[in-house]
Amino acid sequence: MDLKIAGRVAIITGASDGMGWATAKLLAEEGVRLVLADIKTEELEREARALGAQAIAVKADMTRQAEVDALVATAVERFGTVDIVVHTAGITGAKGDPLEMTDEDYEDAYRTDFLSAVRIARAAVPVMKRNGWGRFVCVTSENAVQPYWEEATYNTAKAALAAFMKGLSYKAATDGVLVNTVAPAFIATPMTDEMMKKRAEEKGVSFEEAIENFLEEERPGIVQKRRGKAEEVAAVIALLVSERASFVNGANLRVDGGSVQAVQN
């Protein structure tokens, strides 16, 4: 399917690995010009070179508005505009008893998992509005609607992000900018690799066994009994940022294998 976005310019945050990198590769195949952003630079620069002349790497700390502004300015300087933003950057945050988490624990997750999206929206959405066309997609999580007890810092930050994006979608579409979220669950990424390594150590089992018993005990809704693939999330993101999704706005698309056991998003 031709997504009709060849020549568009996309900023992808958290682009060095996982869902960000998978999305970058897929959009490159569609002829999209890419600005790949991450706090990691050496690996990102190699990856950008692998995608050819139509991709550049930019170091950006998404917790700093000045660096986010500079990221958007670099995209405009290099390619003339910004049409698409895919915001995947995030952290898992501190875990444990919600009442034992400190203010700093909550604020750390909030700064990265929520406010970073606000910052990139401030910088990029006005550019899209002036063009009369844009796509802004953020990666939330199943945790935004199905919170887990020991992940309170992450739950609350992702729930805030989902609410922000829904609110932004109401008016942005009047200027041609469509705003949506994608909510993955238990995707094979460096983030869940670390979770499973820690679980394996705690339980004295192999990495594969840790995944197996996590699915059985913690994610019974994923009846396929496997982690999702970053490429499976990227495919949904690619659709949302395309011309094909021209009447999808304010939506939250789950890519969770059925992990969220509810009808409503």
Side-chain angles (χ1 to χ4, degrees):
M1 180 187 293
D2 180 6
L3 297 181
K4 299 185 177 182
I5 49 175
R8 294 289 187 185
V9 178
I11 293 174
I12 302 177
T13 71
S16 67
D17 55 32
M19 292 173 280
W21 175 237
T23 301
K25 290 190 292 183
L26 191 51
L27 294 188
E29 292 174 6
E30 293 294 323
V32 176
R33 294 174 288 172
L34 299 170
V35 179
L36 307 181
D38 209 305
I39 204 164
K40 311 168 192 174
T41 53
E42 291 183 9
E43 182 180 355
L44 190 62
E45 287 169 358
R46 288 195 299 271
E47 291 171 340
R49 287 195 295 271
L51 294 178
Q54 295 304 299
I56 61 171
V58 178
K59 182 179 179 181
D61 182 347
M62 302 305 294
T63 68
R64 300 177 182 276
Q65 186 69 58
E67 293 194 27
V68 176
D69 291 344
L71 167 63
V72 173
T74 298
V76 173
E77 180 181 355
R78 175 65 175 82
F79 294 119
T81 191
V82 175
D83 301 302
I84 296 164
V85 171
V86 179
H87 181 54
T88 77
I91 60 172
T92 56
K95 295 184 180 182
D97 187 324
L99 302 182
E100 293 180 0
M101 296 294 100
T102 65
D103 286 3
E104 186 175 295
D105 291 332
Y106 282 101
E107 289 166 1
D108 188 38
Y110 196 77
R111 279 193 299 269
T112 303
D113 291 335
F114 169 59
L115 283 175
S116 60
V118 178
R119 295 182 190 104
I120 191 70
R122 285 186 188 129
V125 170
V127 179
M128 300 180 196
K129 284 184 174 182
R130 288 195 293 271
N131 295 339
W133 195 99
R135 301 287 189 268
F136 183 36
V137 173
C138 285
V139 173
T140 58
S141 171
E142 61 170 329
N143 292 58
V145 296
Q146 182 167 274
Y148 296 97
W149 179 84
E150 75 283 5
E151 299 177 13
T153 64
Y154 187 72
N155 298 339
T156 52
K158 288 297 189 178
L161 174 56
F164 169 74
M165 292 291 282
K166 183 65 176 178
L168 183 62
S169 74
Y170 293 141
K171 295 296 184 181
T174 61
D175 294 302
V177 181
L178 304 185
V179 176
N180 295 287
T181 58
V182 171
F186 202 39
I187 306 300
T189 65
M191 183 182 290
T192 61
D193 281 349
E194 288 304 313
M195 289 171 56
M196 291 303 102
K197 286 176 185 175
K198 183 178 179 181
R199 185 180 182 88
E201 291 172 3
E202 291 172 348
K203 291 184 173 291
V205 298
S206 70
F207 181 80
E208 291 73 20
E209 288 170 327
I211 293 173
E212 184 178 336
N213 65 50
F214 180 83
L215 285 163
E216 190 68 32
E217 296 171 10
E218 307 289 345
R219 300 295 186 273
I222 304 179
V223 297
Q224 293 159 287
K225 300 302 178 188
R226 67 171 176 87
R227 288 194 293 176
K229 301 173 184 176
E231 292 79 10
E232 291 171 316
V233 181
V236 175
I237 293 173
L239 174 63
L240 284 177
V241 303
S242 78
E243 192 61 53
R244 299 290 186 179
S246 56
F247 201 57
V248 182
N249 187 49
N252 176 51
L253 298 191
R254 296 179 187 163
V255 190
D256 67 1
S259 184
V260 175
Q261 296 179 300
V263 175
Q264 297 296 324
N265 279 329

